[in-house]
Amino acid sequence: MSEMTLLFPALSPEEARMLSPLQLAYVGDSVHSLLVRVKLIGDNLKVKDMHVSATRAVNAASQAKALQACMEILSEEETAIVKRGRNAHARHSAPKSASTQEYAAATGLETLLGYLYLTGNFSRLTALAHYLYGEENSCPPHD
């Protein structure tokens, strides 16, 4: 990740907060997808099975459940970022596969992931990824 920060310097928390929550979620959606796909590489599955598993994990309903599972370990700042994303109103409706509440929660998670990525907080991003993907004991609450 250090090479990425050389090419794309991390934003300060203040700069990242100046972005709209939907901009953060736009990046966070890709970050989440990448994290899931990298995790699946380690599961030694066939590519078709990886695709099916990734599709199950990278959707609004699954992301809403993931957010619910990690809310208790988020800092006040992280919770505020999630709420900002959850309350943002996209100019399109939720997909048919998810309720409006699930879609809003998924946007909250994506906003947090985008914020952590863009601010270069890779250690926290990694810790949350471990927590979200079945290693709950590996992520302590944020200070």
Side-chain angles (χ1 to χ4, degrees):
M1 289 291 187
S2 61
E3 291 178 17
M4 285 292 263
T5 57
L6 293 175
L7 292 173
F8 303 102
L11 300 177
S12 70
E14 295 77 23
E15 290 171 321
R17 282 192 292 272
M18 295 296 291
L19 297 173
S20 79
L22 295 177
Q23 288 174 311
L24 295 171
Y26 177 74
V27 172
D29 178 55
S30 295
V31 170
H32 185 249
S33 181
L34 180 61
L35 291 170
V36 166
R37 289 168 185 250
V38 169
K39 162 77 169 84
L40 291 170
I41 290 288
D43 291 347
N44 203 22
L45 301 171
K46 294 179 181 177
V47 174
K48 180 181 178 184
D49 295 333
M50 286 190 296
H51 175 72
V52 170
S53 293
T55 302
R56 287 187 190 133
V58 183
N59 64 61
S62 293
Q63 288 173 311
K65 287 178 187 172
L67 176 64
Q68 185 177 16
C70 74
M71 284 299 293
E72 66 189 27
I73 64 160
L74 299 181
S75 70
E76 286 184 34
E77 178 187 21
E78 291 168 340
T79 300
I81 293 164
V82 166
K83 287 180 181 178
R84 210 176 138 219
R86 192 181 59 207
N87 294 332
H89 296 288
R91 296 182 188 245
H92 57 274
S93 59
K96 293 179 184 178
S97 61
S99 70
T100 303
Q101 293 83 5
E102 288 172 326
Y103 190 68
T107 303
L109 176 65
E110 292 170 348
T111 301
L112 176 59
L113 297 177
Y115 176 86
L116 293 173
Y117 179 82
L118 289 172
T119 57
N121 195 343
F122 302 121
S123 61
R124 183 61 174 163
L125 184 60
T126 300
L128 283 175
H130 285 293
Y131 187 88
L132 292 173
Y133 307 126
E135 300 171 31
E136 291 85 3
N137 296 325
S138 67
C139 185
H142 196 277
D143 296 329

